[in-house]
C-alpha cells in the first residue's frame, strides 16, 4: 500500500490518498481540496496513475476536511461516507467558512452512507477498521489499518497535541475519554497520520503528549 498526502486549503489540511498498487484501487480520506487547482492536482494524480477511486471517507465533517467531496462525486461518481452524528455540519459549510473569513459558496455533497464503530472497509488488499472517536466533533472517526500498523486520526490526535473542542460538536472530556479508551490502547508502534501537521506514533504520544 502507498500513501500520498496533499496539504490543502487555508487550514493546511492533510488529504490522504491510499493506493493498493496491485489492484490500482484507491481511497481518499478527508478530501479537503477547496480550490480548482487543489482539486485538479488530486485528480491528476489519480488519473496519471490509472487508479480507480473506490471510497471517499471522512474522519469528520468540519469544512476543511470535506471541501472536495462534491468535486470527487462529480468527477468519479463516488460519494462520501462519514458518521451520521456529523451530517448536520454539511448544511453549515458556507456559514462556517464565513466565520473563518473564507470566501466559499459551494453546495455541500450529501453522504452516500453512514460509518459506524467497528465497520470494516475493504478496497483491494487494504482493510480499514472504523473507530468512533467523538470529542473534536460529535461524529469523529479514526481509520485503522491493523496489518500496516497505521491510524488516520483526523483532528482527534496530533503530534504532541489533541484536536480543539471549542467548535461545533466538540467536548473536551469526551475527546480525552475517546482517545484514552480507543486510540492510545493501540500498539505503541502504530504510525498516526493526523488531519494537520506531521505524523507521529502512539508511543511518542504516550510519552510526550501533555494531555495524557
Amino acid at each position: 500500500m502507498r500513501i500520498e498526502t496533499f496539504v490543502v486549503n487555508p487550514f493546511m489540511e492533510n488529504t490522504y490518498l491510499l493506493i493498493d498498487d496491485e489492484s490500482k484501487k484507491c481511497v481518499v480520506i478527508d478530501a479537503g481540496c477547496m480550490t480548482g487547482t487543489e482539486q485538479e492536482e488530486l485528480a491528476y494524480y489519480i488519473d496519471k496513475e490509472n487508479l480507480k477511486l473506490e471510497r471517499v471517507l471522512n474522519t469528520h465533517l468540519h469544512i476543511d476536511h470535506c471541501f472536495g467531496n462534491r468535486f470527487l462525486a462529480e468527477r468519479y461518481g463516488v460519494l462520501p461516507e462519514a458518521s451520521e452524528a456529523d451530517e448536520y455540519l454539511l448544511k453549515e459549510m458556507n456559514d462556517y467558512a464565513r466565520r473563518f473569513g473564507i470566501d466559499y459558496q459551494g453546495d455541500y455533497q450529501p453522504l452516500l452512507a453512514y460509518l459506524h464503530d467497528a465497520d470494516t472497509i475493504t478496497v483491494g488488499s487494504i482493510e480499514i477498521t472504523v473507530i468512533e472517536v467523538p470529542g473534536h466533533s460529535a461524529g469523529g472517526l479514526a481509520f485503522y489499518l491493523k496489518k500496516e500498523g497505521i491510524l488516520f486520526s483526523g483532528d482527534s490526535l496530533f503530534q504532541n497535541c489533541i484536536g480543539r473542542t471549542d467548535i461545533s460538536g466538540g467536548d473536551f472530556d469526551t475527546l480525552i475519554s475517546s482517545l484514552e479508551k480507543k486510540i492510545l490502547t493501540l500498539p505503541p508502534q502504530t504510525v498516526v497520520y493526523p488531519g494537520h501537521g506531521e505524523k507521529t506514533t502512539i508511543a511518542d504520544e504516550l510519552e510526550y503528549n501533555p494531555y495524557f
Side-chain angles (χ1 to χ4, degrees):
M1 187 197 72
R2 231 179 334 138
I3 301 171
E4 295 293 333
T5 306
F6 300 81
V7 181
V8 295
N9 71 50
F11 297 93
M12 301 297 286
E13 182 265 353
N14 293 328
T15 291
Y16 294 108
L17 180 65
L18 281 58
I19 304 163
D20 175 42
D21 283 312
E22 185 173 345
S23 68
K24 292 291 186 177
K25 295 178 179 179
C26 66
V27 181
V28 169
I29 294 178
D30 287 345
C33 40
M34 183 181 79
T35 67
T37 299
E38 291 171 346
Q39 292 166 357
E40 288 301 328
E41 181 183 6
L42 176 59
Y44 174 78
Y45 192 94
I46 292 172
D47 297 343
K48 175 177 68 74
E49 297 290 318
N50 295 313
L51 303 177
K52 178 175 174 50
L53 182 61
E54 293 279 308
R55 308 286 283 266
V56 175
L57 309 178
N58 282 106
T59 60
H60 63 296
L61 292 173
H62 288 150
I63 53 171
D64 51 326
H65 291 255
C66 60
F67 277 129
N69 282 353
R70 188 170 185 84
F71 168 76
L72 293 177
E74 293 176 348
R75 182 72 163 254
Y76 298 103
V78 181
L79 276 63
E81 302 169 66
S83 169
E84 184 177 9
D86 269 6
E87 189 172 32
Y88 76 96
L89 291 168
L90 294 174
K91 297 178 182 179
E92 300 180 358
M93 285 184 69
N94 290 336
D95 289 339
Y96 199 84
R98 278 194 295 273
R99 290 201 293 271
F100 281 91
I102 296 172
D103 183 18
Y104 176 79
Q105 294 296 321
D107 293 328
Y108 73 86
Q109 175 59 52
L111 300 176
L112 169 69
Y114 302 132
L115 298 173
H116 307 90
D117 197 54
D119 282 352
T120 299
I121 298 163
T122 302
V123 175
S125 65
I126 302 171
E127 186 170 290
I128 302 168
T129 300
V130 178
I131 302 175
E132 290 182 352
V133 192
H136 173 67
S137 72
L141 304 174
F143 301 120
Y144 181 46
L145 284 66
K146 182 177 181 179
K147 181 175 63 176
E148 290 84 1
I150 289 170
L151 179 81
F152 294 91
S153 62
D155 285 1
S156 61
L157 181 66
F158 301 122
Q159 185 182 63
N160 299 338
C161 196
I162 62 171
R164 60 188 297 183
T165 56
D166 61 338
I167 50 181
S168 186
D171 183 85
F172 179 81
D173 291 338
T174 299
L175 179 57
I176 293 297
S177 177
S178 296
L179 291 171
E180 289 180 342
K181 293 178 181 178
K182 297 285 195 73
I183 301 303
L184 298 179
T185 54
L186 295 173
Q189 68 272 19
T190 301
V191 179
V192 179
Y193 287 81
H196 305 266
E198 299 298 318
K199 63 185 178 182
T200 183
T201 65
I202 295 297
D204 281 352
E205 296 316 301
L206 285 169
E207 184 170 359
Y208 301 115
N209 195 310
Y211 289 93
F212 309 113

